[in-house]
Amino acid sequence: MNKKCKIGMINFLNGLIPDYHFENTLFTKTYGLPAELNKLLREGDLDISPVSSMEYILNSSNYSILPGLCISAFKEVQTVGVFSNLAPTEWDRKKIYLSGASLTSKYLLKVICKKYLKVDPIFIEQKIEIADKESFEQIIKKYDGVLLIGDRVFEFKNNFQWQFYDLARMWFEATELPFVFALWLVRNNFIENNCEIISKVHYLQLEAIIEGLSHLEEVYEKNSKNLTFKEFSNFLENIMNYQLSPFELLGLKKFSEDLIELRMISDFEGFHFFDSKLQP
């Protein structure tokens, strides 16, 4: 093991479970929004991180996937969607504000609108620097809808009466498939001479998720996020999925095919996995 590994951690409610007692002298942790972690991993400031699945689709030659790990949802996700007073079929030429915290969700919304709803909204992208700071009052005065992800969805629901359109639900209604929002990736140029530490981190991350889901009351006591325990546990146990199986990969493959069909990307090299030697 030649160096201490730099690991990214998602700073959202769904990041609490992977972070459960996830500590070791082999690595350091950096917390951030998905879009921030994308940039840090892409530029080499992180070695391993959960990042937007779109980051992998766009730059798959740079990364390998850690097997068995993802953040995905089947039928609904509750924390990724569009708030609007208009029905989705009325979004044509309407202004939709896109959260700067997201990458995958922006592409997913565009695919849903273009391919499945046959509407063409005007998308305005928020700068990442203000992704978790801009006031909702300013946003709702200017736009017909707003795409939000993560904990800010709960904040918006608690303060405004706009209808929430869940992107995982919209994707499922169109495809009957789950949607993968994030993958755990390792930079390919970190793999050489570091296979042992990567395998160890992989094992510890899988273990943290299993243990975190088994100790939800402890996790809740430290990080309730203003939810009741019933809401908190339902979200993490029944809505979130952290296991990357062939079924989740089918959903991700379908998403990549839609992106190519709509000419939003030119091609996709497919899935490449790190050959992990799991060890305690």
Side-chain angles (χ1 to χ4, degrees):
M1 299 182 186
N2 295 333
K3 61 180 292 188
K4 185 167 282 195
C5 184
K6 297 172 291 186
I7 296 179
M9 304 297 293
I10 294 176
N11 196 22
F12 280 153
L13 179 61
N14 58 21
L16 296 177
I17 295 301
D19 200 28
Y20 180 78
H21 292 184
F22 183 58
E23 304 288 346
N24 197 283
T25 56
L26 297 174
F27 57 78
T28 60
K29 297 187 293 187
T30 298
Y31 294 84
L33 301 173
E36 293 171 333
L37 297 180
N38 295 343
K39 184 174 185 290
L40 290 171
L41 189 67
R42 189 185 314 129
E43 295 180 354
D45 295 313
L46 293 173
D47 303 310
I48 299 173
S49 185
V51 296
S52 302
S53 57
M54 196 66 207
E55 173 66 21
Y56 181 75
I57 290 173
L58 291 171
N59 301 293
S60 59
S61 62
N62 296 333
Y63 306 118
S64 294
I65 302 169
L66 292 189
L69 290 168
C70 75
I71 294 177
S72 66
F74 184 56
K75 297 186 179 180
E76 64 173 332
V77 66
Q78 295 188 353
T79 53
V80 180
V82 176
F83 286 97
S84 179
N85 277 331
L86 300 173
T89 52
E90 299 176 296
W91 289 349
D92 196 59
R93 307 313 298 162
K94 301 300 182 181
K95 293 188 289 184
I96 307 293
Y97 197 47
L98 305 179
S99 169
S102 166
L103 178 64
T104 300
S105 303
K106 291 189 285 192
Y107 278 88
L108 175 58
L109 176 58
K110 291 174 182 179
V111 166
I112 289 171
C113 286
K114 192 168 185 178
K115 178 165 183 176
Y116 299 108
L117 296 177
K118 308 298 184 185
V119 295
D120 185 23
I122 300 167
F123 293 114
I124 299 94
E125 301 215 8
Q126 181 187 50
K127 294 180 180 179
I128 188 173
E129 294 80 10
I130 59 172
D132 58 349
K133 302 178 181 68
E134 192 169 10
S135 76
F136 294 135
E137 288 81 2
Q138 291 177 320
I139 292 172
I140 64 175
K141 289 178 182 177
K142 299 178 183 178
Y143 305 104
D144 302 297
V146 54
L147 169 66
L148 292 176
I149 72 167
D151 300 350
R152 294 212 91 195
V153 170
F154 296 121
E155 295 175 34
F156 197 102
K157 283 182 178 178
N158 291 336
N159 290 282
F160 300 95
Q161 299 302 311
W162 282 18
Q163 182 69 34
F164 179 67
Y165 297 97
D166 188 307
L167 290 197
R169 181 179 294 279
M170 296 175 80
W171 172 255
F172 171 78
E173 289 173 352
T175 67
E176 298 188 345
L177 290 168
F179 192 82
V180 178
F181 290 94
L183 295 165
W184 266 256
L185 304 181
V186 55
R187 287 179 57 85
N188 286 336
N189 63 6
F190 181 72
I191 292 176
E192 187 176 2
N193 300 322
N194 290 292
C195 288
E196 187 177 349
I197 190 172
I198 297 167
S199 293
K200 180 70 173 181
V201 168
H202 184 208
Y203 173 86
L204 292 172
Q205 186 65 96
L206 288 166
E207 186 179 59
I209 290 170
I210 293 170
E211 289 299 308
L213 290 172
S214 300
H215 295 84
L216 284 176
E217 289 190 8
E218 179 186 340
V219 178
Y220 177 75
E221 288 173 4
K222 297 177 181 177
N223 305 277
S224 67
K225 302 288 184 181
N226 296 317
L227 301 175
T228 66
F229 179 69
K230 183 178 180 180
E231 292 169 330
F232 182 87
S233 59
N234 179 63
F235 175 72
L236 291 174
E237 276 190 303
N238 302 320
I239 303 300
M240 284 291 93
N241 172 59
Y242 296 98
Q243 183 178 2
L244 182 64
S245 76
F247 190 40
E248 281 73 39
L249 288 173
L250 273 179
L252 196 54
K253 182 174 183 290
K254 171 62 175 169
F255 181 50
S256 67
E257 290 169 348
D258 285 353
L259 290 166
I260 292 171
E261 178 186 331
L262 296 171
R263 298 184 179 180
M264 296 171 70
I265 61 172
S266 58
D267 60 8
F268 174 54
E269 295 183 1
F271 305 113
H272 308 286
F273 293 89
F274 172 70
D275 184 16
S276 186
K277 311 297 183 185
L278 292 178
Q279 55 179 305

